[in-house]
């Protein structure tokens, strides 16, 4: 009858607690054989252990140093499985080798795959920003604290002459919210805007340097 209370003797309870590390099916089987309790089901044993906090000690995870059950065993041949496996040397359809280019959907920069080891993944190729890659080939490493500013507004124009290294601190003076909206200004005015922003930045840095010297 559903909801019927099941009674256990002190001896039965002590035995279940002492053997709670068994799986619940094994615990139920041994309990019913030992005490002749056909009225007790596996679910009853589970509920009893749960109420009393008698756990098996297993959490489904491998213990440190525990070998999996199939260690050293060869997977039996399966024709359907073998037919759909990657073959040695196979390349996925998404593979893009050195020289492949794409335009980043978020920023609009050109991403180039170059034939150089990827220091993060160990892959034989790595993605780079094409404009920076070409600029550094022509001018050397970009200094710390600097970034490259696109001069004509076309980020797909990766010619090094179309990019100028500027301090990152200059960017607020060039943006469209608080600065001079460099990217939307007429092409003939952009060199003047860039030079003005550079002079303002240098003057600010000079004032900061003077204050630091005065504080020493």
């Amino acid at each position: 009858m559903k909801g019927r209370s099941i009674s256990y003797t002190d001896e039965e309870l002590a035995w279940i607690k002492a053997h709670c590390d068994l799986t619940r099916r094994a615990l139920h089987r041994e309990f019913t054989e030992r005490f002749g309790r056909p009225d007790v089901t596996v679910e009853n044993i589970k509920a009893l252990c749960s109420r009393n906090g008698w756990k098996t000690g297993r959490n489904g995870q491998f213990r440190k140093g525990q070998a999996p059950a199939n260690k050293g065993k060869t997977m039996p041949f399966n024709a359907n499985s073998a037919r759909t496996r990657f073959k040695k040397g196979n390349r996925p359809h998404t593979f893009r080798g050195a020289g492949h280019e794409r335009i980043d959907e978020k920023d609009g920069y050109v991403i180039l795959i170059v034939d150089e080891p990827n220091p993060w993944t160990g892959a034989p190729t790595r993605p780079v920003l094409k404009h920076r890659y070409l600029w550094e080939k022509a001018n050397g490493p970009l200094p710390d604290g600097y970034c490259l500013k696109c001069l004509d507004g076309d980020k797909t124009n990766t010619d090094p002459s179309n990019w100028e290294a500027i301090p990152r601190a200059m960017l607020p003076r060039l943006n469209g919210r608080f600065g001079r909206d460099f990217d939307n200004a007429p092409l003939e005015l952009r060199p003047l805007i860039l030079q003005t922003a550079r002079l303002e930045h240098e003057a600010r840095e000079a004032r900061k340097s003077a204050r630091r010297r005065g504080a020493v």
Side-chain angles (χ1 to χ4, degrees):
M1 179 176 172
K2 187 175 181 181
R4 175 175 55 86
S5 176
I6 297 178
S7 299
Y8 300 90
T9 65
D10 291 342
E11 181 185 1
E12 290 173 339
L13 291 173
W15 187 92
I16 293 173
K17 181 179 180 181
H19 296 81
C20 67
D21 57 340
L22 296 173
T23 64
R24 295 303 173 239
R25 290 191 178 278
L27 181 62
H28 170 259
R29 183 178 60 253
E30 293 191 19
F31 172 79
T32 53
E33 290 177 355
R34 180 181 180 87
F35 294 99
R37 292 291 303 270
D39 58 314
V40 177
T41 66
V42 175
E43 296 303 322
N44 296 146
I45 292 292
K46 288 182 180 179
L48 174 67
C49 292
S50 178
R51 289 195 303 272
N52 289 279
W54 299 337
K55 300 180 179 181
T56 64
R58 291 181 290 274
N59 57 12
Q61 300 175 348
F62 279 104
R63 297 185 300 276
K64 187 175 181 179
Q66 179 183 355
N70 59 353
K71 181 179 180 179
K73 295 182 180 180
T74 303
M75 185 177 70
F77 178 78
N78 183 292
N80 290 331
S81 172
R83 179 171 50 82
T84 58
R85 295 176 202 162
F86 284 117
K87 306 300 186 292
K88 187 176 181 179
N90 179 82
R91 286 179 173 175
H93 70 281
T94 55
F95 173 80
R96 299 292 183 267
H100 174 77
E101 297 180 8
R102 66 178 177 86
I103 297 178
D104 186 273
E105 295 180 356
K106 180 180 179 181
D107 299 319
Y109 293 111
V110 179
I111 307 297
L112 172 68
I113 305 299
V114 297
D115 190 16
E116 297 176 3
N118 190 315
W120 297 280
T121 67
T125 59
R126 69 184 182 98
V128 297
L129 292 170
K130 185 178 180 181
H131 69 280
R132 176 167 178 167
Y133 180 79
L134 296 180
W135 190 92
E136 290 187 330
K137 286 287 187 183
N139 301 284
L142 187 66
D144 290 341
Y146 277 67
C147 62
L148 294 178
K149 185 64 180 174
C150 181
L151 299 180
D152 68 358
D154 180 9
K155 293 180 179 179
T156 62
N157 180 0
T158 58
D159 189 284
S161 63
N162 186 45
W163 299 82
E164 184 166 342
I166 65 171
R168 287 189 177 276
M170 276 180 57
L171 291 177
R173 302 180 185 274
L174 299 174
N175 67 24
R177 186 175 182 187
F178 301 111
R180 295 178 173 83
D181 202 10
F182 176 88
D183 292 333
N184 294 316
L187 288 177
E188 60 272 16
L189 293 181
R190 292 186 183 186
L192 177 61
I193 294 174
L194 189 62
Q195 185 60 23
T196 301
R198 189 183 297 278
L199 290 173
E200 291 176 346
H201 171 75
E202 291 175 354
R204 180 173 181 270
E205 291 300 304
R207 289 194 299 272
K208 288 170 58 178
S209 179
R211 286 197 297 269
R212 285 195 294 267
R213 288 197 300 271
V216 174

